[in-house]
Amino acid sequence: MAQNFAHGNYSHTQKKARNGGGGRTPIDRARRTLSQNFLVDRHAVELMLKAAAPEGLVLEPGPGDGVLTVALAEAGARVVGYEIDPRLAGRLASRTRSDPRIDVVRGDFTLARAPREPFAVVGNIPYSVTSKIVDWCLRAPALTSATLLTQLEYARKRTGDYGRWSLVTVESWPWFSWRLGDTIGRECFRPVPSVDSAILRIQRRTEPLVSGRRSYQELVELGFGGVGGSVRASLKTRYQGVDAALAAAGVARDAVVGYVHPDQWITLWERLCG
């Protein structure tokens, strides 16, 4: 049966039978409110499995009708699916109750307590809570990777595909790599959304690229603060030797912050803080 999730106190390593409650949400209202677009294309599922290479413990935000859930389990993963829609959670739990590889938790993934053992996150996630899910993943100490099916525009922005880089990517770059995977057309979902999706792969690095988390993040946040309109102007408000550091990193003196590659930020940190 579906597990009730409350206050993050759910064991990811064993099933706990609990009685669930809550009213039934109308299908049409749930799809609008919860941003539900179900993956129905088998090839798209296979692309997700190829990108994720699932093994061990996998948490799945919003499993919906369980197409990806079952595929992950069949690929060898132990899957804990967090479904906030009680109707879908109950239905999926009923379908998979005899499968020891799958647990269904009735609750909000973004409120879940992260497991202490190494785990991955894989999911076709709702567009409306993408940032919250990504932030949750980046904060989880034992997370090894996150393979997320997101809105195409979001995935492109976070991986520098537009030629610009976002604060969340640059700030997490020493600890996580960000990669844009295959594009998944809108026709692969039901109901059909108004935009295409893409596979976003976030993977923890085996070794961090910097030794000082706080000093690196302070540097990046100052650079993104927008003082003076350029990275140079922003950094000069606090650091000495900025011009030499910019030259070493190959950053133009008038460069706008979004156009500075994350690897260049690593060099700037090494010169200014390391």
Side-chain angles (χ1 to χ4, degrees):
M1 64 181 295
Q3 312 297 321
N4 275 325
F5 169 73
H7 308 299
N9 296 317
Y10 178 78
S11 170
H12 300 276
T13 58
Q14 62 181 355
K15 292 187 176 181
K16 295 182 180 179
R18 300 178 182 175
N19 292 325
R24 189 177 288 271
T25 304
I27 295 175
D28 56 346
R29 180 178 298 177
R31 286 178 174 173
R32 289 194 301 269
T33 303
L34 303 177
S35 186
Q36 293 173 337
N37 298 94
F38 304 118
L39 192 62
V40 296
D41 184 84
R42 182 62 199 179
H43 180 60
V45 173
E46 291 171 353
L47 291 175
M48 283 289 288
L49 293 178
K50 181 180 178 180
E55 60 181 4
L57 179 60
V58 172
L59 271 56
E60 182 187 7
D65 56 7
V67 170
L68 184 57
T69 313
V70 173
L72 288 167
E74 290 177 345
R78 293 182 292 121
V79 187
V80 179
Y82 285 86
E83 179 52 64
I84 199 170
D85 185 332
R87 176 184 59 87
L88 292 174
R91 191 167 66 188
L92 180 58
S94 178
R95 285 179 47 213
T96 60
R97 65 162 53 98
S98 63
D99 192 334
R101 304 167 301 182
I102 298 174
D103 282 326
V104 179
V105 180
R106 184 180 300 175
D108 186 344
F109 172 82
T110 64
L111 300 179
R113 180 175 298 166
R116 294 184 178 181
E117 66 178 286
F119 73 99
V121 172
V122 183
N124 167 34
I125 62 177
Y127 292 159
S128 61
V129 291
T130 298
S131 293
K132 290 180 66 175
I133 290 174
V134 168
D135 288 345
W136 186 99
C137 291
L138 296 176
R139 291 195 307 267
L143 178 94
T144 58
S145 66
T147 306
L148 307 173
L149 193 50
T150 74
Q151 187 174 348
L152 175 59
E153 182 181 8
Y154 180 92
R156 294 188 66 188
K157 284 182 177 180
R158 294 296 178 264
T159 56
D161 198 52
Y162 289 117
R164 294 175 61 92
W165 297 89
S166 68
L167 173 60
V168 67
T169 306
V170 174
E171 199 167 29
S172 63
W173 191 259
W175 300 274
F176 293 93
S177 64
W178 296 67
R179 184 176 64 83
L180 177 64
D182 291 289
T183 298
I184 307 297
R186 65 196 74 183
E187 69 279 358
C188 296
F189 302 86
R190 294 293 182 274
V192 178
S194 60
V195 296
D196 294 331
S197 296
I199 297 173
L200 173 64
R201 172 78 172 176
I202 305 170
Q203 186 161 0
R204 186 180 296 276
R205 301 185 190 277
T206 54
E207 293 291 338
L209 301 179
V210 303
S211 58
R213 180 183 292 270
R214 178 174 295 182
S215 61
Y216 175 82
Q217 292 181 340
E218 287 177 350
L219 173 74
V220 171
E221 288 170 4
L222 179 63
F224 274 83
V227 178
S230 69
V231 175
R232 178 176 181 268
S234 296
L235 298 186
K236 273 183 167 290
T237 63
R238 185 181 302 177
Y239 299 96
Q240 300 292 324
V242 170
D243 287 342
L246 291 171
V251 178
R253 289 164 63 92
D254 62 348
V256 177
V257 66
Y259 293 100
V260 180
H261 191 283
D263 287 337
Q264 293 175 307
W265 280 102
I266 303 299
T267 302
L268 291 174
W269 176 86
E270 291 171 346
R271 294 301 182 111
L272 298 174
C273 309

